[in-house]
Amino acid sequence: MRIISISQEECIEMLQRVSIGRLACSLNDQPYIVPVAFSYEPNCLYFFSTLGKKIEWMRQNPKVCLQADEIGNRSNWTSVIVTGTYLELREPQYTDEREHAQKLLAQHSRYWQNPLAERREQTSDLSIELVFFRIDIASISGLRAMPEGV
Ligand SMILES: Cc1cc2nc3c(=O)[nH]c(=O)nc-3n(C[C@H](O)[C@H](O)[C@H](O)COP(=O)(O)OP(=O)(O)OC[C@H]3O[C@@H](n4cnc5c(N)ncnc54)[C@H](O)[C@@H]3O)c2cc1C
């Protein structure tokens, strides 16, 4: 098996193809990571969430990291890591960006399903706070593994 770095263009192509990644944040030296849906646009990623631990943590420490991958098998995969800064798209300051995020995320069907279903187990619909946010990208790197001889 060979593992090679891939170009920024290849990383971006993968971020455009996949819609699920693992979003990592941290607070007081404690990392926290959850799977989330996202939508790529040049220089940023858009997300939808309900209010919970990750949002509370990112509000306090906006430095975050996202990892996404396409895994064929253990010797055939691509993995991309993005670092960046959390920006919450609150109204009214970010109304346009919030609508834009909603449109982009809607290209992947039912983006709201996971976060809402989880929160509905815990609370009533009326008290659920909906959060759209953006990660402004600072860096992107990618690795690809391939079987020997390819
Ligand atoms: C395929 C997929 C797509 C998803 N897409 C989204 C999305 O787009 N937006 C979104 O907000 N959420 C999404 N989720 C759910 C997400 O992974 C979190 O579970 C959810 O957002 C709650 O996170 P929170 O920090 O608000 O948790 P809280 O409800 O505040 O969590 C409290 C505690 O529950 C535990 N917990 C929370 N989430 C998980 C988890 N996933 N696995 C194990 N333990 C957990 C942790 O121990 C945490 O401390 C998705 C999940 C999957 C599997």
Side-chain angles (χ1 to χ4, degrees):
M1 181 176 75
R2 291 171 59 219
I3 297 182
I4 57 162
S5 291
I6 59 173
S7 68
Q8 295 288 295
E9 289 71 27
E10 287 173 291
C11 291
I12 286 167
E13 280 166 23
M14 203 201 85
L15 292 171
Q16 288 169 328
R17 273 195 308 273
V18 303
S19 58
I20 302 289
R22 281 146 291 276
L23 176 65
C25 55
S26 72
L27 194 63
N28 300 328
D29 294 331
Q30 175 61 60
Y32 179 56
I33 183 164
V34 282
V36 283
F38 68 89
S39 217
Y40 173 85
E41 190 162 78
N43 304 317
C44 64
L45 300 168
Y46 288 98
F47 302 80
F48 168 72
S49 177
T50 53
L51 184 59
K53 183 165 161 176
K54 66 178 172 314
I55 299 295
E56 283 158 9
W57 281 31
M58 292 188 295
R59 282 175 176 171
Q60 294 177 72
N61 178 7
K63 295 288 182 198
V64 298
C65 182
L66 178 123
Q67 187 270 346
D69 52 54
E70 292 178 309
I71 301 178
N73 56 49
R74 286 186 191 192
S75 56
N76 182 5
W77 49 259
T78 305
S79 169
V80 170
I81 291 181
V82 176
T83 64
T85 306
Y86 171 80
L87 176 73
E88 196 164 318
L89 303 177
R90 293 174 193 258
E91 296 193 281
Q93 190 184 0
Y94 290 106
T95 301
D96 291 348
E97 288 85 350
R98 210 178 146 96
E99 284 171 10
H100 182 63
Q102 206 163 345
K103 278 189 196 134
L104 275 182
L105 287 161
Q107 290 168 9
H108 304 294
S109 62
R110 303 171 86 79
Y111 66 88
W112 60 89
Q113 202 169 29
N114 275 299
L116 274 182
E118 213 170 301
R119 202 60 66 206
R120 281 184 177 135
E121 291 291 313
Q122 304 157 356
T123 184
S124 75
D125 272 17
L126 282 177
S127 57
I128 296 176
E129 188 177 332
L130 306 182
V131 180
F132 285 90
F133 65 94
R134 193 172 85 189
I135 302 298
D136 289 327
I137 296 174
S139 72
I140 304 181
S141 64
L143 292 178
R144 174 169 298 139
M146 57 190 94
E148 209 66 52
V150 173

